[in-house]
Amino acid sequence: MRHYCFLKAKAGELKAIKHANKDNDLIPVLDVPTQRDIDPDKLFNQINKSHKHIRSNCQKEKLIYIDHFDIDLNIKLPNGDHPILMHELLINDGYKIGFVTGLDRDNIYDNTISHLSKKHGSHVAVRLLLDDILIPSITIKKIKSLIPKISNVKGTLIFIDCRVVDFVSLPKMSSVVIDFIKKLNTELIVNEIVLTSSSIPQSIGKLVETGETKTLDRLESSLWGHVHSACSEHSNLTYGDYATVSPEYVEMDFNGPPPMAPKITYTLGTGYIVARGKSVIHHPDGFKQFITLADSIVLDGRFRAPGHSFGEKYIFKIAQGVNGTGNATTWITACVNQHIEFIAGL
């Protein structure tokens, strides 16, 4: 099925796309990563780094959306330009780049998006958070006023981004989204509405302790099921998620190597297997814990097969002890990739 996969524009995530089946109906939505205390020079370097990863891992003919959702609107490039303008470099190199705006963006941001979309015929999506859609009439009015600024786009595309969903928030979240979608479709002609969310919080330690393996409910699937069933008459509804990386992930600066406990996240129909080791600094096996964790995933009766995806092949090889231990980046690639291939088969 069509899958809008919301990811950070980083090496691990983008390599997962590179190794995905090229026939998948996959549309990446890439958030440029930020850091605490980011400044113009750091932002310039970060965007250049994201571009490098996109060029190394993404096909030019495949549509990619880029957003600055996590970046302070007040930060400009060292030369004073708006940072969104840097992505024109990718367009000039032949990449099919779409842009994302939202109700929280300022006029300078929207005018820059408008300039690029009209100049290059780029797609533009409007990203809404749950708080944005609590009063549908107000939100729809704001969307209507925003559309003329991005009028050169190929129809209206809405991202409903619920961020992290849990058992407490799920019922109200479902109700709010259903109500908004039904009212939106009576007021506007919307080409596509993408519903995205994640079960994975910023700190997985809230759900799974180090040295523990648990099966967690994949609540983004539950949210999608509730909304899709209630809005079955609306054919413009499309599935999205954050794969196996939390939407609340923030790039951190560390003095020395970052603290890390090995982790593997494996996608199931209605859940995730999350296997965590202990700190690589304090555990005698260090990174070799990945071998034990991978073996536990392979021996679980719910593991599909090494041939199902690049990610599953990677997990299997590590479990056999023939492919080293991997590292944080290669494991993000493997986990995100197996997730993408699983969703593609639904």
Side-chain angles (χ1 to χ4, degrees):
M1 72 175 184
R2 173 168 286 191
H3 178 202
Y4 281 79
C5 195
F6 289 67
L7 300 167
K8 302 298 182 185
K10 298 180 64 185
E13 288 88 335
L14 290 171
K15 286 179 181 177
I17 294 172
K18 179 179 182 177
H19 292 295
N21 188 323
K22 300 303 183 287
D23 294 328
N24 290 349
D25 195 359
L26 173 69
I27 302 177
V29 182
L30 304 179
D31 286 323
V32 175
T34 189
Q35 299 175 357
R36 301 190 193 283
D37 303 320
I38 195 165
D39 59 31
D41 289 320
K42 286 182 180 178
L43 180 57
F44 178 80
N45 291 335
Q46 181 60 68
I47 294 175
N48 271 332
K49 188 185 295 185
S50 292
H51 284 188
K52 177 182 175 182
H53 297 319
I54 289 170
R55 289 187 172 97
S56 297
N57 298 292
C58 298
Q59 296 175 282
K60 288 185 176 182
E61 65 273 15
K62 294 278 190 175
L63 177 61
I64 303 166
Y65 285 90
I66 297 179
D67 195 6
H68 284 205
F69 179 85
D70 298 316
I71 295 172
D72 187 335
L73 291 172
N74 294 315
I75 299 179
K76 301 299 184 286
L77 296 175
N79 67 357
D81 282 351
H82 197 285
I84 284 286
L85 287 171
M86 281 189 70
H87 303 307
E88 191 170 28
L89 295 171
L90 291 173
I91 296 174
N92 292 338
D93 284 347
Y95 285 88
K96 191 176 180 182
I97 302 298
F99 296 99
V100 184
T101 187
L103 303 186
D104 59 341
R105 316 300 167 97
D106 58 25
N107 284 330
I108 298 174
Y109 185 101
D110 286 336
N111 290 338
T112 306
I113 292 287
S114 177
H115 164 74
L116 291 173
S117 69
K118 290 174 180 177
K119 181 177 179 180
H120 299 286
S122 304
H123 294 247
V124 179
V126 180
R127 189 174 191 167
L128 305 173
L129 301 181
L130 192 67
D131 286 347
D132 291 329
I133 64 174
L134 294 175
I135 306 176
S137 59
I138 294 176
T139 304
I140 293 168
K141 184 177 179 180
K142 290 180 178 178
I143 294 171
K144 286 180 177 179
S145 67
L146 184 59
I147 286 175
K149 295 183 180 180
I150 54 175
S151 59
N152 195 45
V153 302
K154 302 165 178 66
T156 303
L157 173 63
I158 303 292
F159 294 158
I160 301 177
D161 185 356
C162 294
R163 309 299 283 175
V164 178
V165 56
D166 56 31
F167 280 109
V168 175
S169 63
L170 178 60
K172 181 180 179 181
M173 194 177 283
S174 299
S175 176
V176 168
V177 172
I178 290 166
D179 182 52
F180 176 73
I181 289 173
K182 290 187 174 184
K183 289 178 179 175
L184 177 66
N185 275 326
T186 62
E187 294 279 337
L188 280 172
I189 298 174
V190 181
N191 285 38
E192 201 167 14
I193 301 171
V194 178
L195 174 61
T196 188
S197 64
S198 172
S199 306
I200 302 175
Q202 184 176 29
S203 173
I204 195 64
K206 293 179 180 180
L207 302 176
V208 185
E209 294 183 4
T210 56
E212 188 177 32
T213 296
K214 275 188 177 180
T215 299
L216 306 179
D217 289 283
R218 196 162 67 84
L219 295 177
E220 58 268 43
S221 176
S222 300
L223 176 63
W224 166 255
H226 293 161
V227 173
H228 188 252
S229 176
C231 300
S232 58
E233 72 274 21
H234 301 292
S235 60
N236 58 352
L237 187 60
T238 302
Y239 177 80
D241 65 27
Y242 280 86
T244 57
V245 181
S246 174
E248 305 299 343
Y249 172 84
V250 176
E251 191 91 349
M252 301 290 286
D253 285 324
F254 296 98
N255 292 320
M260 179 188 173
K263 174 172 67 75
I264 301 175
T265 305
Y266 187 72
T267 308
L268 306 170
T270 58
Y272 292 108
I273 303 173
V274 179
R276 296 190 73 200
K278 292 184 177 290
S279 168
V280 296
I281 298 173
H282 300 111
H283 193 281
D285 288 341
F287 281 97
K288 289 183 180 179
Q289 293 175 87
F290 272 122
I291 298 173
T292 304
L293 297 179
D295 192 49
S296 72
I297 298 290
V298 171
L299 293 176
D300 189 296
R302 295 167 293 179
F303 182 74
R304 288 176 283 276
H308 190 267
S309 71
F310 170 88
E312 267 126 340
K313 183 177 180 181
Y314 186 87
I315 294 170
F316 183 79
K317 282 189 171 183
I318 295 290
Q320 301 304 303
V322 297
N323 208 30
T325 63
N327 56 51
T329 299
T330 61
W331 275 107
I332 286 175
T333 298
C335 293
V336 170
N337 177 268
Q338 62 80 30
H339 178 90
I340 288 171
E341 297 295 3
F342 177 78
I343 297 299
L346 295 179

